[in-house]
């Protein structure tokens, strides 16, 4: 349903925005997905199909946070990948 599709699409938008180095767009995506996650997290009961979406939703949230972090590193002239 929509609850599962929206965060995924917003996550994809964040990735594309990261490629353009558009930090404001990524922050907006993060705010949107956080709002969905926070809203679902406070519900006292989740039906089975909805409770299965919590893991992927958290994963999308983590991916967007990672894109924002990597963009911050790039803006400071640092590499996001570890040195070996």
């Amino acid at each position: 349903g929509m609850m599962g599709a929206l965060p995924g699409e917003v996550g994809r938008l964040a990735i594309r925005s990261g490629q353009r180095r558009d930090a404001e767009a990524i922050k907006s995506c993060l705010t949107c997905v956080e709002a969905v996650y926070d809203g679902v997290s406070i519900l006292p009961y989740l039906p089975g199909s909805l409770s299965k979406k919590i893991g992927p939703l958290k994963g999308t949230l983590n991916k967007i946070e990672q894109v924002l972090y990597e963009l911050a590193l790039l803006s400071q002239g640092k590499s996001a990948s570890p040195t070996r």
Side-chain angles (χ1 to χ4, degrees):
M2 185 60 171
M3 205 297 288
L6 176 67
E9 290 300 321
V10 173
R12 284 183 275 285
L13 176 61
I15 299 298
R16 287 192 305 273
S17 298
Q19 293 169 343
R20 293 189 317 271
R21 297 186 179 189
D22 186 350
E24 289 306 312
I26 299 167
K27 289 176 186 175
S28 294
C29 292
L30 181 62
T31 299
C32 175
V33 175
E34 282 177 334
V36 172
Y37 182 79
D38 291 345
V40 171
S41 295
I42 63 171
L43 295 174
Y45 170 75
L46 297 174
S49 62
L50 189 57
S51 65
K52 292 177 184 176
K53 302 289 184 181
I54 296 296
L57 179 58
K58 183 65 175 170
T60 298
L61 191 56
N62 290 336
K63 286 178 190 174
I64 297 172
E65 289 171 339
Q66 183 66 33
V67 169
L68 199 54
Y69 174 72
E70 290 175 7
L71 187 60
L73 289 178
L74 287 171
S75 70
Q76 295 178 359
K78 298 179 181 177
S79 175
S81 58
T83 57
R84 294 179 194 201

